[in-house]
Amino acid sequence: MLLITFADNSRLKEICFAALNNVHQIKILRIPAAVTNINDWAIANNNELTEIIFNGNNLKKIGYAGIKNNPKLSKVILPEGLTKIGGYGLGENPNLIAFVPSTVIE
């Protein structure tokens, strides 16, 4: 079981293509406030991931299949300011309850 978290002052701007794809030990993932993009397939195919926590409101885009096929993922509260969720951006997460902000237009 693994918790991935970043320092409060992290300058990480994006979670790159497939950066956390097939990392089966992740249980909880805390995304730093500076992140603006979760790219295609960035957080996908993780068998143990149950929760994603966003620190801050800078996230603007979740790419194609950005958060996909995480069978135990059950909770994601997407931050206000998010404007785009790509195709299958939250797809194939059978237990997911996602709170989508009103700022999402695409």
Side-chain angles (χ1 to χ4, degrees), residues 31-97:
I31 306 291
V35 170
T36 59
N37 292 313
I38 294 177
N39 290 316
D40 299 352
W41 296 97
I43 305 168
N45 305 308
N46 296 298
N47 292 337
E48 298 302 318
L49 182 63
T50 60
E51 185 175 0
I52 299 173
I53 300 165
F54 290 91
N55 297 321
N57 292 325
N58 292 316
L59 184 67
K60 301 297 179 208
K61 177 185 170 191
I62 297 174
Y64 178 85
I67 302 173
K68 182 177 188 273
N69 193 32
N70 299 289
K72 292 183 180 177
L73 182 62
S74 61
K75 183 177 180 187
V76 175
I77 300 173
L78 299 170
E80 286 294 326
L82 177 66
T83 57
K84 181 177 182 178
I85 300 174
Y88 296 101
L90 296 171
E92 297 181 25
N93 297 300
N95 296 306
L96 179 61
I97 296 173

